[in-house]
Amino acid sequence: MNTPPTRPGPLLLLAIALCAISGLYLLGGGIWLAVLGGSIYYVLAGVALLGTAWLLFMRAQAALGLYALLLAGTMIWAVREAGFDFWALAPRGDILVPIGILLLLPGVTRHLRAPVGAPRLVLGAVIAAAVAVVGIALTQDPQDIAGSLPAVAQNAPTPGDAGQMPDEDWQAYGRTEFGDRFSPLKQITPANVGKLKVAWTFRTGDMRGPGDPGETTDEVTPIKIRDTIYLCSPHQILFALDAATGKQRWKFDPQIVHNPTFQHLTCRGVSYHEAPADAAPAECAQRIFLPTNDGRLFALDAHSGARCHGFGTDGEIDLKDGMTVKTAGFYEPTSPPVVTDNMVIVSGAVTDNYSTHEPSGVTRGFDVNTGELKWAFDPGNPDPNEMPSEHHHFVPNSPNSWITSSYDAHLDLIYIPMGVQTPDIWGGNRNADSERYASSIVALNASTGKLVWSYQTVHHDLWDMDIPAQPSLVDIRMPDGLVVPTLYAPAKTGNIFVLDRRDGKLVVPAPERAVPQGAAPGDHLSATQPFSQLTFRPKKNLTDADMWGGTMFDQLICRVMFHQLRYDGPFTPPSLQGTLVFPGNLGMFEWGGLAVDPVRQIAIANPIAIPFVSTLIPRGPNNPATPDKSQPSGSESGVQPQFGAPYGVDLHAFLSPLGLPCKQPAWGYMSGIDLRTNKIVWKHRNGTIRDSAPLPIPFRMGVPSLGGPLTTAGGVAFLTSTLDYYIRAYDVTTGQQLWQDRLPAGGQSTPMTYAVNGRQFIVTADGGHGSFGTKMGDYVVAYSLPE
């Protein structure tokens, strides 16, 4: 028998140390996890690593055989848990395989007692098998859905908003008040989209300042009328630009009053109204409506930016009128109002999770020319249409609507996506009036504000699972040939509720299903919730096998954290223990909504999947975690005081100690839906970690996005809102990515398109998002094909 050298080499010492330290970590953490009911793999792996370390210390060649057994068992366990999904497999082997390679090096094996040939060959074969498994995983994606949407229209009805404006215009937030984010322009196609180049860039000069809140964001979708683009910046400065060149024509600064306690500092867009020639007012026949975060609404001449003096008081309305709480920033209309022939209809956000005494979430209809209040819909009032007077104010803390509504001029109905009475995570004090329209789609007569119908998407919402996006209106030809005017409402839950927009009846079934029970003391729960059959909701509940990390070490911690939280699937109630909320508070859908091609009868979506943690904090003088802030935090994450409720709440994304999502990727997708069958036809991971990883490596893992898609009749969809800084173009039929370009800052907005003299432009606002963590800027970028 050969005797190895007495003194161990540095590589052997390194291998002993790595195996011993890793083994101790995995054994200790594994016992903790097993006690909590999780996988026992880590206990076994820890024992095997410690055994390997001991055998290496004893110079026994059996160390290689034991390690080969550990690696083979790990490979079988990993594939069984994660399938051939590369990014799910990676943290299960990214430590063990390199250690295995280290053990094969001569600097280790020459110090072991002979013979080492057979064990070395076995370990080498196992490592080769592990590499082969990784190779197989790189060639497929179990999360991917491959398919093709209809390439051409098939007996589709004429869209209900057809002819409302010239094809080359984009006159409202969703192009029309139908909210479809679809353009009939066809110049840009899958064949030529790769030739897109920057046509012009505009800098607003409006940057985040030291006194601005964390939720300072640039989320604007510009509008375009004739030869002019209109857009607003985060401080609600309104710009008018030449649509062909991007040159500034004029700007209007409302000089908003703000401070770091504002939860939001953003402006998603402005609205446009053009009076008929035979009924035009003396001034401002064409006007722009600008909402501001300090609770005002301005009417400005579209040609000059001058105030429309006959509107309200010198061109502005104080939207805090009629409120009991008038603190600046507590009522924030962050989204553009709906404009009809006669009315401008305004809703607004309130400060979430600060207290039980907030402004009303009332929606109001004002005369489009004079600004006179014509009607109100106050959802917390037993008589929601009661008007304010010296004896009556709008009901404090009524449920609010913070995103743009949709409007059907033919039916004269406005469709309002509703939130919930704040605080969002506690509902023990809510009465029947405050619950009635919460987290619902509410259809009102736009001329009178009278209720026509409502449909509730979440009952007694304790998760902030409101309707976050403008509903899309589309006329669908059913299999029997009947045309149904439908409404598609994407929800944070991942459900897409499909309703007949005439009466609110379900077009796609959404049966009530039992949900977890066990509310926090003093609260209650609905026994059931509606689950739409058109959904991106996860098909199964998360398990510790779905936990992830950069290494097996932080993946283990994520598994422990997962088992420490309460989680029984969707609608697990908030708890003092801490509740895993998935889909998370950010939602599977956010304010970007869907992009619908009503001609092809298809929709494009960009769902996301990030779990959150919600932990109730009992209020009391002896609890150091009790929220006691006298001012709002300027953010919707972290500790939220919920004054007036028995609990504060800590809200945050479910992240590992390294700051990585504890849920395995993907976290963001692009997807195509056939609206004739209401089936998801294709879905692909979208976006890379280039701008969120320590090294700028563009791994396509599928990252979250904030903002929505645009689709066109040319068969190309666009998206800019991912965590990495790109604008991307996709083949609408298959979802294949066709083109991308680097953006100068985060593109957390929804792009739009228009044409000037037959030349089609794609425009995106790229100013970043404070709380999303993307690079801030002040850019507006237009792309077009070379002339």
Side-chain angles (χ1 to χ4, degrees):
M1 176 181 294
N2 295 329
T3 301
T6 302
R7 179 174 297 178
L11 286 184
L12 177 59
L13 290 175
L14 175 62
I16 293 171
L18 287 175
C19 289
I21 294 171
S22 299
L24 287 171
Y25 181 96
L26 294 182
L27 179 60
I31 292 172
W32 188 9
L33 177 62
V35 169
L36 293 171
S39 171
I40 65 169
Y41 160 79
Y42 295 92
V43 174
L44 301 177
V47 170
L49 280 165
L50 289 174
T52 301
W54 174 253
L55 292 170
L56 288 172
F57 178 75
M58 299 300 294
R59 317 292 182 86
Q61 50 86 17
L64 302 184
L66 178 58
Y67 198 85
L69 181 63
L70 166 63
L71 199 56
T74 297
M75 183 170 56
I76 294 169
W77 166 79
V79 171
R80 183 174 179 179
E81 274 203 334
F84 290 96
D85 184 328
F86 173 78
W87 290 112
L89 289 173
R92 291 166 166 87
D94 59 2
I95 298 296
L96 295 183
V97 170
I99 291 177
I101 294 172
L102 173 65
L103 295 182
L104 292 178
L105 297 179
V108 173
T109 57
R110 71 167 175 259
H111 293 280
L112 302 180
R113 293 185 176 91
V116 296
R120 188 175 183 179
L121 287 174
V122 171
L123 179 55
V126 172
I127 291 175
V131 171
V133 167
V134 170
I136 294 170
L138 285 169
T139 65
Q140 54 187 288
D141 184 355
Q143 298 185 40
D144 190 82
I145 299 174
S148 295
L149 290 170
V152 295
Q154 298 180 2
N155 195 29
T158 301
D161 59 347
Q164 289 188 3
M165 68 186 69
D167 287 356
E168 59 266 25
D169 275 7
W170 188 287
Q171 295 187 5
Y173 178 66
R175 186 173 179 270
T176 74
E177 301 285 10
F178 269 37
D180 288 349
R181 283 159 283 282
F182 167 75
S183 171
L185 297 176
K186 301 178 180 179
Q187 185 183 70
I188 298 170
T189 68
N192 63 25
V193 67
K195 299 178 181 178
L196 283 178
K197 300 294 182 184
V198 173
W200 54 258
T201 299
F202 176 73
R203 304 285 300 271
T204 68
D206 186 6
M207 297 289 290
R208 179 180 174 183
D212 291 339
E215 192 79 10
T216 299
T217 67
D218 196 347
E219 300 178 356
V220 66
T221 297
I223 61 174
K224 182 261 186 185
I225 297 94
R226 297 183 181 88
D227 63 352
T228 306
I229 291 173
Y230 302 92
L231 62 99
C232 51
S233 61
H235 291 83
Q236 288 96 68
I237 302 171
L238 175 60
F239 296 87
L241 310 180
D242 182 291
T245 66
K247 302 294 185 183
Q248 180 177 308
R249 288 183 165 161
W250 56 260
K251 76 173 183 178
F252 172 80
D253 187 347
Q255 299 290 322
I256 65 167
V257 179
H258 66 93
N259 59 62
T261 70
F262 275 36
Q263 272 196 345
H264 305 278
L265 194 61
T266 192
C267 185
R268 295 190 181 93
V270 296
S271 301
Y272 173 73
H273 178 260
E274 182 170 333
D278 58 354
E283 61 170 3
C284 298
Q286 298 167 16
R287 58 184 62 193
I288 302 294
F289 290 101
L290 170 71
T292 64
N293 290 179
D294 57 359
R296 293 178 290 167
L297 178 69
F298 288 85
L300 306 167
D301 185 275
H303 297 286
S304 66
R307 292 173 180 251
C308 300
H309 302 290
F311 182 85
T313 302
D314 194 26
E316 69 176 275
I317 294 172
D318 187 348
L319 296 172
K320 299 185 293 296
D321 285 350
M323 302 286 191
T324 56
V325 178
K326 297 189 177 185
T327 307
F330 277 43
Y331 177 84
E332 300 176 290
T334 58
S335 300
V338 165
V339 177
T340 74
D341 287 344
N342 303 307
M343 311 291 295
V344 53
I345 302 171
V346 184
S347 303
V350 302
T351 301
D352 277 341
N353 300 322
Y354 177 62
S355 78
T356 58
H357 189 62
E358 300 285 339
S360 173
V362 61
T363 293
R364 285 164 285 184
F366 298 93
D367 184 283
V368 75
N369 292 314
T370 68
E372 179 186 357
L373 179 62
K374 291 296 187 180
W375 58 259
F377 185 83
D378 187 357
N381 191 334
D383 176 9
N385 296 121
E386 185 176 4
M387 297 287 276
S389 67
E390 59 179 309
H391 305 294
H392 171 71
H393 291 82
F394 296 124
V395 175
N397 232 29
S398 282
N400 65 300
S401 176
W402 52 271
I403 190 63
T404 300
S405 299
S406 301
Y407 173 64
D408 185 329
H410 176 70
L411 297 174
D412 195 28
L413 294 183
I414 179 173
Y415 304 95
I416 306 174
M418 293 295 300
V420 70
Q421 174 181 291
T422 189
D424 298 330
I425 318 299
W426 170 256
N429 61 336
R430 298 178 194 162
N431 59 29
D433 293 322
S434 66
E435 296 273 46
R436 182 174 36 182
Y437 303 116
S439 299
S440 298
I441 297 292
V442 173
L444 306 180
N445 182 289
S447 298
T448 66
K450 299 292 185 182
L451 178 71
V452 176
W453 58 261
S454 69
Y455 175 82
Q456 190 164 68
T457 64
V458 178
H459 312 314
H460 193 63
D461 185 355
L462 301 179
W463 306 269
D464 194 18
M465 290 292 142
D466 48 22
I467 300 296
Q470 181 183 29
S472 294
L473 310 184
V474 54
D475 299 328
I476 300 294
R477 189 177 299 279
M478 308 303 285
D480 61 4
L482 184 67
V483 175
V484 177
T486 62
L487 173 151
Y488 281 73
K492 286 186 177 181
T493 56
N495 292 310
I496 300 176
F497 292 94
V498 187
L499 308 170
D500 187 320
R501 64 179 186 265
R502 296 168 296 188
D503 55 18
K505 299 289 178 61
L506 286 165
V507 175
V508 173
E512 295 279 337
R513 285 173 32 188
V515 293
Q517 297 296 292
D523 210 336
H524 62 277
L525 294 164
S526 171
T528 63
Q529 296 288 353
F531 286 78
S532 176
Q533 292 181 5
L534 175 56
T535 186
F536 286 88
R537 183 180 70 244
K539 293 181 179 179
K540 64 180 184 66
N541 290 348
L542 294 175
T543 69
D544 70 352
D546 297 303
M547 297 303 103
W548 193 73
T551 67
M552 65 189 309
F553 302 133
D554 54 314
Q555 183 182 49
L556 170 57
I557 295 299
C558 281
R559 289 180 185 246
V560 170
M561 292 165 60
F562 172 80
H563 281 284
Q564 289 178 317
L565 296 169
R566 181 176 178 189
Y567 174 69
D568 303 308
F571 300 107
T572 303
S575 64
L576 281 74
Q577 171 186 350
T579 291
L580 183 65
V581 182
F582 185 61
N585 296 59
L586 196 60
M588 296 202 81
F589 287 103
E590 256 293 335
W591 46 267
L594 305 175
V596 172
D597 182 336
V599 179
R600 286 174 64 172
Q601 307 268 273
I602 60 175
I604 306 300
N606 60 314
I608 61 178
I610 296 288
F612 266 60
V613 175
S614 169
T615 307
L616 295 175
I617 307 173
R619 197 174 307 287
N622 297 322
N623 187 337
T626 296
D628 59 359
K629 299 177 182 179
S630 60
Q631 293 291 332
S633 66
S635 171
E636 290 185 72
S637 63
V639 174
Q640 308 289 296
Q642 300 195 143
F643 291 125
Y647 305 97
V649 65
D650 184 12
L651 299 172
H652 59 268
F654 184 35
L655 303 178
S656 79
L658 299 181
L660 301 174
C662 270
K663 175 197 165 294
Q664 69 185 34
W667 309 297
Y669 306 87
M670 282 292 279
S671 187
I673 307 168
D674 187 335
L675 301 184
R676 301 168 308 163
T677 61
N678 289 302
K679 302 295 183 184
I680 298 167
V681 174
W682 55 259
K683 187 174 80 168
H684 311 307
R685 296 176 193 247
N686 187 57
T688 73
I689 58 168
R690 184 198 188 285
D691 297 299
S692 50
L695 297 175
I697 303 173
F699 290 138
R700 190 174 70 91
M701 299 172 69
V703 297
S705 55
L706 275 180
L710 153 73
T711 191
T712 67
V716 182
F718 294 88
L719 188 81
T720 65
S721 58
T722 50
L723 197 59
D724 56 352
Y725 312 153
Y726 288 97
I727 178 173
R728 293 183 171 93
Y730 311 85
D731 186 313
V732 167
T733 303
T734 64
Q736 177 189 358
Q737 183 177 310
L738 302 170
W739 167 84
Q740 68 179 25
D741 192 49
R742 188 81 174 146
L743 297 174
Q748 278 64 61
S749 61
T750 302
M752 53 83 75
T753 185
Y754 64 88
V756 176
N757 298 323
R759 187 184 186 194
Q760 185 177 355
F761 294 81
I762 307 294
V763 174
T764 169
D766 310 313
H769 195 289
S771 62
F772 202 50
T774 52
K775 179 181 176 182
M776 305 299 285
D778 65 339
Y779 300 88
V780 181
V781 182
Y783 292 86
S784 66
L785 297 172
E787 290 187 285

